[in-house]
Amino acid sequence: DYENNKDYRIFVPCDKKLFNYNKDGKLVSGYSFTGSKNEIANAPQHLLLDGKDYIIFNDIAGTVYALNRKGENILSLKSTLPSNRKNYEVVVGNSLANSGIISTSSNGTVVFVTLNDKREEINLQSFTNNHLFNLGNLSDNKSKDVIVFDEGKLSAFSLSKKEIFNIKDLEFTPSFGLQIYSLTESNNVVGITDKNLQKIYLYSQFGELMQGFPLEGNSPILIDDINNDGTKNMIIGNSSGSLFIYSVF
């Protein structure tokens, strides 16, 4: 919604193509993105910086694209991300220097490619190639934090390398990755589902298993204020096809 007038644009990646539809499901005229070099790896995000619109995404080879409204790649970044990773997260800042895409290498090094074509590497600690990664805010300082699950250990770090928590000897395996949810402006949680164990876990921003968890369930977790009453609800499903709604804050 470029002009905040509900004239929405819907971007749909399909292999190397990025289709642009209006809210009526029709292709937008004047948009002419010819395609990425490789398969698109993440959901495009819209950034508005200094009055300019950018549609940001990357392909599986790690090439970062920044399109304008017409579908033209206007930045042509040379810096690249690690290829063929499970997670690529768009970072929305207030300038080209602190906006871009972040991911992790096979050994867990955090790699941040900014829109001013800088590549920053942050070495937190060594992880295996099978680690899971997500980026979100666990504190109330509005900065991003890195959450990693690797070989039964759930860890969280600030981008300044400060360890937030480190939980060892966990017996579950995340089935839908690591999800971060905001209950209030200063209260954020990490949600994990293990389909094999049929369990759902919710950890506080300090790494504490929240009271009443784990719960029975095998679905992704949805947390939202579904009644618009100021109370956050958690919706989960189980193997019998039932849905459960809990008040979590």
Side-chain angles (χ1 to χ4, degrees):
D1 189 5
Y2 294 125
E3 309 295 341
N4 291 319
N5 59 2
K6 299 184 178 181
D7 185 17
Y8 297 107
R9 296 291 181 264
I10 304 168
F11 290 90
V12 181
C14 183
D15 195 20
K16 299 179 182 180
K17 299 291 186 181
L18 182 63
F19 297 101
N20 183 5
Y21 298 93
N22 62 24
K23 62 182 179 181
D24 298 317
K26 297 180 180 179
L27 289 171
V28 174
S29 61
Y31 172 84
S32 58
F33 179 57
T34 56
S36 56
K37 297 177 181 178
N38 298 277
E39 179 184 349
I40 295 173
N42 57 350
Q45 299 285 328
H46 171 246
L47 282 72
L48 179 63
L49 300 173
D50 297 325
K52 294 183 179 180
D53 294 292
Y54 299 90
I55 307 300
I56 308 299
F57 60 95
N58 64 277
D59 65 25
I60 60 174
T63 302
V64 177
Y65 300 81
L67 310 184
N68 62 13
R69 296 190 188 189
K70 296 180 180 180
E72 299 166 332
N73 192 21
I74 54 177
L75 295 182
S76 297
L77 305 181
K78 295 180 181 179
S79 300
T80 59
L81 294 158
S83 61
N84 296 303
R85 301 308 300 155
K86 296 178 181 178
N87 294 77
Y88 296 97
E89 301 292 336
V90 174
V91 178
V92 180
N94 55 14
S95 69
L96 294 178
N98 60 17
S99 301
I101 300 181
I102 197 168
S103 187
T104 54
S105 67
S106 59
N107 66 358
T109 299
V110 176
V111 180
F112 182 27
V113 171
T114 64
L115 297 185
N116 65 341
D117 209 7
K118 302 295 183 182
R119 189 180 194 269
E120 180 181 0
E121 295 189 1
I122 305 171
N123 294 304
L124 299 174
Q125 59 180 244
S126 180
F127 298 104
T128 71
N129 188 44
N130 295 320
H131 72 272
L132 299 176
F133 151 84
N134 203 350
L135 183 75
N137 179 255
L138 286 177
S139 57
D140 56 1
N141 59 11
K142 297 183 180 180
S143 64
K144 295 293 185 180
D145 304 304
V146 176
I147 298 90
V148 180
F149 183 90
D150 188 36
E151 294 191 320
K153 183 171 66 174
L154 181 65
S155 309
F157 306 86
S158 68
L159 288 179
S160 61
K161 303 184 182 180
K162 179 182 178 181
E163 185 177 275
I164 300 172
F165 60 74
N166 188 353
I167 311 168
K168 299 179 180 179
D169 301 322
L170 298 173
E171 296 181 354
F172 58 75
T173 301
S175 299
F176 305 105
L178 310 173
Q179 303 301 322
I180 303 170
Y181 305 93
S182 176
L183 302 186
T184 67
E185 288 187 0
S186 59
N187 188 1
N188 302 291
V189 296
V190 179
I192 296 172
T193 300
D194 188 318
K195 291 180 65 176
N196 293 326
L197 296 178
Q198 303 280 313
K199 297 292 184 182
I200 287 177
Y201 303 82
L202 214 61
Y203 286 89
S204 75
Q205 63 200 60
F206 307 109
E208 301 165 341
L209 186 63
M210 297 189 67
Q211 185 176 0
F213 287 85
L215 294 172
E216 180 185 350
N218 68 346
S219 71
I221 303 167
L222 173 64
I223 295 181
D224 205 349
D225 180 5
I226 61 175
N227 297 315
N228 293 318
D229 60 0
T231 298
K232 290 293 179 72
N233 306 104
M234 181 180 71
I235 304 173
I236 58 176
N238 66 10
S239 57
S240 65
S242 299
L243 289 177
F244 298 88
I245 302 176
Y246 300 87
S247 296
V248 292
F249 195 84

